[in-house]
Every structure is written in C-alpha cells, then in structure tokens.
Amino acid sequence: MIQVAVMGHGVVGSGVTDILLKHTESIAKKVKEEINIKRVLDLREFPDSPIADRFTKDFNDIISDDEISIVVEVMGGLKPAYDFVKQCLEKGKSVVTSNKELVAAKGAELLEIAQKQNVNFLFEASVGGAIPIIRPLHQCLAANDIEKINGILNGTTNFILNKMINDNMSFEDALALAQEKGYAERNPAADIEGHDACRKICILASLVYGTHVYPESVHTEGITKVTLKDVEYAKAWGGAVKLIASARKNGDKQEIITAPMFVNNDCQLSNVDGVYNELLVRGDSSGTIGFYGRGAGKLPTASAVVADVMDCVLHKDERRNIMWKDGNGDNVLPYETYVHAMYVLCETNDSTASFAKANEIFGACEKITMEKAPSNELAFITPELSYADFTAKCAEFAKNADVKSSIRIAKI
Ligand code: HSE
C-alpha cells in the first residue's frame, strides 16, 4: 500500500481526497497498488470529513513519517509551501503540486533537489487545470522545436470577460461569482492583474526552452484596464478581448508576455468561453496543436493532481526526467521590441482630421466602425510595429486626440 499525505484541504485539496476516496479501487487496479491517504494537513477542522481522524495541523506528522512516500501540496502560495515541499523532497518523498506560484518561482531549484534525491516533482495541475499540457510538451512533442505557445491560461479572467460581454454583468459581480465557484485565487489580484497567467506561461516556457523563466522577467498586464467600450470595439472589429499568455522563440531567446489582446474571430481562442482554457502550441514538425478544457475548479484541477500521484506510484523506482536549468532572465527579450498591430481608442473633436493624423503617424490604419458610436470617438488598428515605436508614435498622436485605450492585436 502506498501512503500519501495531502497538504491543504481547500478547493483543490478536498477534490483530491474526494477522487482518491471515490475511485480507490479503480485507481488501485491501474497502478497495481492501493493508495491510502494517511494524513491531511490543514489548520482548520473538518469534523464531517470521512477521514476526519487523519487530519493534522502539524507538518512534523508528515515529514517524520517514513511510510509516507508521496506528498501532495495544494496549499498554494509560497509560504509555507516552498519550505514544506523542499523538506519533503530532501527527505526523499516525491511531491505533486498544483501550485503554479511555487513552480514559477522555485521550479529549477526544486527539480534539482528531486533529481539529486531520485524522486519525482510533478506539477501537471499547475497549468491549465484538467488540461494535459506538461506531459504532452515534455513527452509527446519532445521531437519538436516549439516555435510558439499562445493561450488563455486563466479561467477567472476569461469567465469575467465573458460575463461582462454576454450577460452585461459588472466586473465586480463577475469576479464575486468566479470566487464563489472556486475559480479565483485566494487573492484574486493574481488573476485579474495577470500574474497567474504569467506564472503559467513561465512554467511552460521553462519546460520547452530548458531555462527557468522567472515571472519578474515577463511583461504582465491584467484585465483591470479593459473597459466595456474596448470589448464592444473588439466585437465590431470581428473579434474578442482575451487575456493572452504567449511565448515565442526568437533566435536563441524568447519573447514572453501576458496581456489582454484583441483576438480575431478566425482564431479559435476567440471562442473560448467561461472558465475554459485553451493553448495553441506550434512545433516545427507537428504544426499547431490545440489543448482545451476546464482550466480551474475543484475536480478538474484535482483530476490532474491525482493522475500525477498515480504516475509517482507507477514510477516509484525511477524519475520522470522533467528538468530545466536555472536562469537569470537574459533569455527573455525586452517586451518593447515585440511587434504587434495595436488597437487605439481616442476622443476627438474632429475624427476625420484625427484619423488622417493617425495614418500619417502610424502608417495605413484600419478604422473600426461601430453602430451608435458617439461622434467624438475614433477607434482604429495600426500596422504592426514594436511596442517602443508604438509608445513614441502614440505620444505624438496624443497631441491631436485624447487617447483612452490601446490594446495589442494577438499574433497567434
Ligand atoms: N485562479 C486560477 C484560474 C485557478 O482562474 O485559472 C487555476 O489555476
């Protein structure tokens, strides 16, 4: 029998214990051994849990128990998760986590410890919830040079944007609903400011390009500055606003960014609704492959965690060779050099003159026509240009009109 401990009994943690208890027999058949939850670590009381007698508030009950060979970390955050996970790996226990903040901040270090101790450190659930993406990138697409990854990697923000567009719900109400459904982070600023999606693209970029990408090296914008007006203009243009996380190879370096972008209706990412995530990965041999599914929530995320636990059981005497080396950020190109067409919304007393000026400054622009738009509003799309170039030209244009918004056009 394999003895397992689960650290954290929140949304994902309770999903992990539910699945392990519900599918004990079928899981045992698949991994040829029964998995027993010996301990659950949480500071709260759960007297109604069917395994209430196995709860502990003391990490020592896990780290000093030599029978426990696999530890699931689903507490989230860095403190105390990092310290606990490190201790578990150093003690020779395999660790499975859904904690993207931990993997994005400490992945290289923890993988190295796992390698030294010949144990597994697995984190399929850290990106895309139920969607298999770590294993496919590491194994199934291993023969490819990954040219680019573009995705909607945060369920909460996608859910909020959808509720705002389709149900006319306010930002605040949509966020409250996402929290109620268990999609949002404990501190939802991580979702709406783009940090959660950034951590996930950092993990994927580290995995496919082999060098740790720290979130601090990646330009990150959230959805808090996106207005209903921007959303309406995106629709009038023939697309939707989505929070896009993107990593693309450029020579031996990468362009990595997380920001709201206009996605054209021609691209399937424009149709990803609610809490769903989708990733489009282009390999040089495979071409583009799509990965789609529920990106957040109790059971979808727990499904990926439990599969990793099963993998640990199946590979208890060997390591899954997931590895990347540490990095200092110099593999990430400065975001000011990334080239995008840009959506610009401005207010002006003379939209004909302002549009002529936009064409003069940016080059041939595409005007967005929207029914019932106020006459003092002008929205257009610039030709492709670097962000540094755009900033300089936009400052020049702002002498003629009051610029209200600018959003990148996604290059999927
Ligand atoms: N808060 C995250 C999201 C949870 O909304 O995508 C899943 O990582």
Side-chain angles (χ1 to χ4, degrees):
M1 188 178 291
I2 297 285
Q3 303 292 352
V4 169
V6 181
M7 302 196 294
H9 197 66
V11 174
V12 180
S14 58
V16 169
T17 51
D18 283 0
I19 294 177
L20 284 171
L21 294 174
K22 184 175 165 199
H23 295 308
T24 308
E25 276 180 30
S26 63
I27 288 174
K29 263 190 204 148
K30 286 174 189 161
V31 300
K32 300 181 180 63
E33 220 161 333
E34 193 172 317
I35 297 176
N36 179 53
I37 306 166
K38 191 167 183 195
R39 288 288 185 188
V40 179
L41 180 73
D42 204 292
L43 294 176
R44 296 162 295 178
E45 309 277 343
F46 294 91
D48 298 332
S49 164
I51 50 169
D53 57 324
R54 302 181 213 174
F55 276 74
T56 176
K57 296 182 171 67
D58 186 357
F59 173 65
N60 285 315
D61 287 339
I62 293 171
I63 193 72
S64 59
D65 187 335
D66 291 339
E67 278 185 5
I68 294 173
S69 57
I70 302 170
V71 178
V72 174
E73 185 278 303
V74 278
M75 294 183 287
L78 289 182
K79 278 187 188 164
Y82 166 57
D83 186 40
F84 287 1
V85 166
K86 196 170 161 178
Q87 285 191 53
C88 288
L89 292 171
E90 281 169 343
K91 199 83 195 288
K93 300 179 192 298
S94 286
V95 173
V96 170
T97 185
S98 60
N99 187 339
K100 49 265 158 141
E101 189 173 353
L102 177 69
V103 182
K106 304 287 182 187
E109 181 192 346
L110 295 172
L111 283 167
E112 199 184 325
I113 299 171
Q115 188 180 43
K116 275 194 193 132
Q117 298 298 333
N118 199 30
V119 292
N120 279 299
F121 177 55
L122 301 181
F123 41 87
E124 182 65 68
S126 65
V127 182
I131 305 171
I133 184 66
I134 303 290
R135 259 180 208 76
L137 284 178
H138 177 65
Q139 288 184 306
C140 318
L141 295 173
N144 286 264
D145 254 1
I146 301 298
E147 294 169 352
K148 56 184 176 178
I149 301 173
N150 280 287
I152 294 171
L153 294 183
N154 183 266
T156 300
T157 44
N158 204 53
F159 179 84
I160 292 173
L161 287 168
N162 267 178
K163 286 284 168 198
M164 284 170 71
I165 302 165
N166 302 334
D167 301 346
N168 239 356
M169 201 179 264
S170 72
F171 181 93
E172 291 73 22
D173 287 351
L175 173 58
L177 192 55
Q179 285 177 296
E180 197 183 307
K181 286 179 174 286
Y183 302 156
E185 297 300 298
R186 222 178 321 163
N187 175 3
D191 296 297
I192 61 179
E193 300 293 357
H195 302 301
D196 179 75
C198 171
R199 288 167 187 149
K200 291 167 178 167
I201 197 70
C202 286
I203 294 170
L204 298 182
S206 303
L207 184 69
V208 300
Y209 298 121
T211 302
H212 194 105
V213 178
Y214 288 94
E216 295 74 24
S217 337
V218 173
H219 180 72
T220 301
E221 294 171 28
I223 62 163
T224 49
K225 292 189 185 124
V226 176
T227 64
L228 203 50
K229 196 130 255 186
D230 298 326
V231 165
E232 286 164 0
Y233 272 109
K235 204 169 172 184
W237 169 72
V241 183
K242 296 286 182 191
L243 182 65
I244 298 293
S246 169
R248 112 187 6 242
K249 202 171 167 203
N250 184 341
D252 58 358
K253 301 202 177 210
Q254 298 106 46
E255 296 181 7
I256 309 178
I257 186 169
T258 302
M261 298 190 193
F262 274 28
V263 179
N264 195 274
N265 286 336
D266 293 346
C267 172
Q268 62 196 80
L269 293 187
S270 69
N271 292 316
V272 175
D273 279 344
V275 74
Y276 283 84
N277 284 188
E278 179 161 6
L279 289 107
L280 297 177
V281 178
R282 192 161 90 192
D284 63 341
S285 303
S286 63
T288 301
I289 300 183
F291 297 87
Y292 174 81
R294 283 181 185 274
K298 177 175 167 164
L299 292 176
T301 311
S303 139
V305 173
V306 174
D308 270 353
V309 172
M310 293 167 71
D311 206 12
C312 284
V313 177
L314 284 169
H315 297 92
K316 60 183 171 193
D317 299 323
E318 55 179 314
R319 268 199 84 243
R320 282 273 180 218
N321 194 28
I322 294 180
M323 232 17 228
W324 60 70
K325 63 177 196 285
D326 207 352
N328 59 8
D330 66 2
N331 50 322
V332 182
L333 291 163
Y335 77 95
E336 293 89 346
T337 62
Y338 307 173
V339 170
H340 286 268
M342 298 292 296
Y343 149 84
V344 178
L345 172 67
C346 63
E347 284 179 5
T348 166
N349 292 331
D350 185 344
S351 68
T352 309
S354 292
F355 189 56
K357 200 74 194 170
N359 280 285
E360 188 187 312
I361 293 173
F362 295 107
C365 295
E366 174 197 351
K367 191 168 173 177
I368 307 178
T369 315
M370 186 167 75
E371 245 182 81
K372 296 186 191 136
S375 60
N376 70 337
E377 236 170 52
L378 171 67
F380 58 88
I381 309 285
T382 72
E384 288 192 347
L385 72 179
S386 73
Y387 195 71
D389 211 6
F390 171 74
T391 311
K393 288 182 171 172
C394 200
E396 179 65 21
F397 177 70
K399 292 176 188 162
N400 306 275
D402 184 9
V403 175
K404 293 291 182 192
S405 310
S406 58
I407 296 179
R408 294 171 181 81
I409 311 299
K411 281 168 65 172
I412 307 294

